[in-house]
Amino acid sequence: MNPSGVILYGPPGSGKDTITAELSVLRREFKFFRRLKAGPGRTAGYRLTTAEHIEELAQVGEVLYRNSRYDAEYAVDRAEVAAVVGSGSIPVLHVGQVAGVHAVTAYPINWVRVLLWCPEDVTRQRCRDRGDKDVEARLKVWHETRQDLLDHAAEPWSLILRTDQVSAAQAAQAVDEARLVDAPLAARDIRELVG
C-alpha cells in the first residue's frame, strides 16, 4: 500500500485533537503532525519558531501551506511531512482552511480528506469544557469555517463526520477504514450539513 496521510478539517471544537488521539490508540503508525507556529497562544502541539523562519522556508519552497489565525502564524513544512512519512508513520494534519487542504495534498501520498463538523452550540460548549480563554474568537472561526465550506460547496471529501453524532472512537475507525479502502473523493451537498 502506498504511504498515506490524514487531513482533519473542521471548526474549533469539532474533535480534531480527540480523534487524533483515538487514531493513535487504533494504530501506532498514526502520528499527529505538529505544525510550525510563530506567535502567542497555545504552545502544546506545535513546533515553535519565528515568523522569519517560516518566511525563509517559504522562500525556498519548503512550506506546503501557511496561514495566520489567533494573532499567530502557522505552517506545514515539506521536510517534516517527509520525515514523518519516511519513518513509516501516517501523518495526521489539522487544517482549518479548504485552501490548506488543497495545498497539503500536493505532497504526493494518498491523503484521506476528512471533514469534521459540529453545530455552533457544540463548539461553544466544547471550548468552554476544555477551558479555552478565547471562546468568542473560536466561535468567530467556527463561522469562518462554515463560510469557507459554503464558498467551496463542491469540494470533494473522502469522509464527512458529524462529531456530535458519533464517538471519537467511531470516527477514528471510520477514518482508518477510509484510508484502508482508499475511499474515493466525493462532492456532497455541504449546505445541508452546515445549515
Side-chain angles (χ1 to χ4, degrees):
M1 182 177 221
N2 290 331
S4 59
V6 174
I7 297 171
L8 299 180
Y9 168 94
S14 61
K16 294 182 288 290
D17 289 335
T18 308
I19 292 168
T20 299
E22 287 292 334
L23 283 167
S24 65
V25 168
L26 194 62
R27 289 185 191 278
R28 62 178 181 75
E29 293 88 1
F30 284 112
K31 183 174 181 180
F32 172 59
F33 180 87
R34 297 179 337 135
R35 289 177 293 160
L36 291 168
K37 178 180 180 179
R42 281 202 251 174
T43 57
Y46 298 101
R47 291 176 293 133
L48 300 181
T49 189
T50 63
E52 292 78 17
H53 181 238
I54 292 173
E55 179 59 29
E56 288 168 9
L57 291 173
Q59 291 296 324
V60 295
E62 279 298 308
V63 172
L64 292 168
Y65 183 66
R66 70 194 280 193
N67 70 293
S68 296
R69 188 165 266 171
Y70 307 119
D71 297 321
E73 188 164 350
Y74 304 86
V76 175
D77 56 317
R78 183 180 305 276
E80 186 68 8
V81 174
V84 172
V85 172
S87 73
S89 296
I90 303 163
V92 180
L93 277 70
H94 298 179
V95 179
Q97 300 81 22
V98 173
V101 174
H102 285 284
V104 168
T105 56
Y107 191 87
I109 60 174
N110 175 41
W111 290 103
V112 178
R113 299 160 46 131
V114 183
L115 166 56
L116 304 176
W117 187 254
C118 64
E120 180 183 10
D121 62 322
V122 173
T123 285
R124 179 183 291 107
Q125 191 59 52
R126 287 176 177 174
C127 288
R128 286 179 179 158
D129 289 349
R130 68 187 187 192
D132 288 341
K133 305 282 188 240
D134 56 351
V135 173
E136 291 309 312
R138 300 205 177 257
L139 291 174
K140 180 177 181 286
V141 171
W142 183 94
H143 285 279
E144 291 169 0
T145 305
R146 179 181 180 275
Q147 189 59 53
D148 190 31
L149 284 168
L150 291 171
D151 291 345
H152 299 92
E155 185 66 25
W157 300 95
S158 309
L159 185 63
I160 296 175
L161 297 169
R162 279 278 306 261
T163 62
D164 58 318
Q165 297 176 354
V166 298
S167 71
Q170 290 169 322
Q173 187 66 47
V175 169
D176 192 39
E177 288 171 8
R179 182 187 67 82
L180 292 171
V181 300
D182 196 10
L185 295 176
R188 298 179 176 100
D189 188 354
I190 294 302
R191 289 177 293 273
E192 182 178 321
L193 176 72
V194 303

